[in-house]
Amino acid sequence: MPLYKDFSDDVATVLVWEYDENEVLNPDELLEPENQNKILGYHPNKIAEVLMVRKMLKRVLPDHKILYRENGEPYLFPQDHHISVSHSFPLAALAISKKKVGIDLEKRKEKIKYIRHKFILHEDVFIDNNEEVDFLTAIWCVKEALYKIHHSKHWSLKKHYDVLPFELKQEFFAKSRVYDLENEDFFKAKISFFDNYCLAIVD
């Protein structure tokens, strides 16, 4: 079975699956009846990502299924655990926890520099431009993971989510903040770099 990485700890189960063209990913066996129409028209890679997530779920909670709210947010049924999902083909990631959890998986790409202005504000003061791509990728992952557990349609990654200063390592923790004019909440993110990918876990 192509389990690629296991980032689980005592709070959350976090698995990363790698696509294998020889692996059987049967929608009739893996995909919930409620979601059969959801994948119509999907690109084959996108279908594989959806099915890989289901394969991971069956490994951990075989009697549960993934459904979607009206805004597209996935949730588990029965609703006794929280989940978060992320894809970056050929990898797919799934987090399962008793408390809210957000994850984001991204491939390291130079082009992230060209959207820096869309999600970076206060972080400019500590980004080392000699390692710009890695800093930006880590910050993007944290903000995306944070958005999955604490979001509003009126918020933006640039203006309402901060990642506090950190030093780049292969694996490290960073403090993050969600705020508006009235409130602010702080969270801890775990960031891992591996094989040209970055994974952020916020819980």
Side-chain angles (χ1 to χ4, degrees), residues 143-185:
K143 290 190 176 187
E144 281 286 319
L146 195 51
Y147 178 84
K148 291 176 181 179
I149 61 174
H150 203 319
H151 57 267
S152 165
K153 64 182 180 180
H154 304 295
W155 292 350
S156 73
L157 295 186
K158 181 173 183 174
K159 296 180 180 179
H160 299 95
Y161 298 84
D162 280 348
V163 181
L164 278 63
F166 60 81
E167 292 183 10
L168 275 178
K169 298 179 183 177
Q170 185 174 352
E171 190 169 280
F172 61 96
F173 289 93
K175 199 171 184 180
S176 55
R177 178 175 72 123
V178 182
Y179 64 98
D180 58 21
L181 293 176
E182 298 177 353
N183 299 290
E184 66 177 355
D185 292 303

Side-chain angles (χ1 to χ4, degrees), residues 46 49-50 53-54 56 66 68 74-75 83-87 92-95 101-105 148:
K46 178 68 173 176
E49 291 171 346
V50 169
V53 167
R54 269 64 183 182
M56 286 186 278
I66 297 174
Y68 296 90
Y75 69 94
I83 63 164
S84 185
V85 174
S86 188
H87 322 101
L94 171 69
V101 60
I103 61 171
D104 190 60
L105 174 68
K148 291 176 181 179

Side-chain angles (χ1 to χ4, degrees), residues 4-197:
Y4 188 61
K5 295 281 185 182
D6 187 336
F7 293 93
S8 304
D9 57 22
D10 57 354
V11 176
T13 298
V14 183
L15 305 177
V16 178
W17 204 266
E18 183 178 29
Y19 176 72
D20 181 345
E21 62 182 10
N22 297 314
E23 180 185 11
V24 176
L25 294 170
N26 186 342
D28 294 331
E29 295 178 358
L30 295 172
L31 194 62
E32 306 82 5
E34 297 92 333
N35 295 320
Q36 289 291 335
N37 290 332
K38 183 177 175 63
I39 65 172
L40 295 177
Y42 275 15
H43 186 280
N45 290 356
K46 178 68 173 176
I47 294 174
E49 291 171 346
V50 169
L51 297 178
M52 285 190 290
V53 167
R54 269 64 183 182
K55 218 161 189 190
M56 286 186 278
L57 177 63
K58 287 187 179 298
R59 187 175 182 138
V60 182
L61 295 172
D63 297 324
H64 287 61
K65 58 184 177 181
I66 297 174
L67 300 178
Y68 296 90
R69 307 189 197 283
E70 289 186 6
N71 63 1
E73 181 182 357
Y75 69 94
L76 277 184
F77 184 83
Q79 298 185 58
D80 53 357
H81 289 76
H82 296 276
I83 63 164
S84 185
V85 174
S86 188
H87 322 101
S88 186
F89 193 82
L91 302 184
L94 171 69
I96 302 171
S97 178
K98 282 289 190 179
K99 56 185 286 191
K100 276 193 172 184
V101 60
I103 61 171
D104 190 60
L105 174 68
E106 299 289 341
K107 191 168 187 178
R108 184 186 181 280
K109 296 178 180 179
E110 290 287 323
K111 67 181 183 181
I112 197 171
K113 293 188 291 187
Y114 304 113
I115 62 167
R116 174 176 177 154
H117 64 285
K118 294 184 177 181
F119 69 98
I120 295 296
L121 186 60
H122 301 116
E123 296 86 5
D124 260 329
V125 299
F126 69 85
I127 291 175
D128 181 348
N129 287 332
N130 292 320
E131 299 179 285
E132 182 182 11
V133 172
D134 287 342
F135 269 98
L136 293 179
T137 303
I139 292 167
W140 174 269
C141 281
V142 172
K143 290 190 176 187
E144 281 286 319
L146 195 51
Y147 178 84
K148 291 176 181 179
I149 61 174
H150 203 319
H151 57 267
S152 165
K153 64 182 180 180
H154 304 295
W155 292 350
S156 73
L157 295 186
K158 181 173 183 174
K159 296 180 180 179
H160 299 95
Y161 298 84
D162 280 348
V163 181
L164 278 63
F166 60 81
E167 292 183 10
L168 275 178
K169 298 179 183 177
Q170 185 174 352
E171 190 169 280
F172 61 96
F173 289 93
K175 199 171 184 180
S176 55
R177 178 175 72 123
V178 182
Y179 64 98
D180 58 21
L181 293 176
E182 298 177 353
N183 299 290
E184 66 177 355
D185 292 303
F186 289 90
F187 296 83
K188 183 174 71 173
K190 180 181 179 181
I191 301 99
S192 301
F193 282 95
F194 61 95
D195 301 340
N196 219 28
Y197 285 86

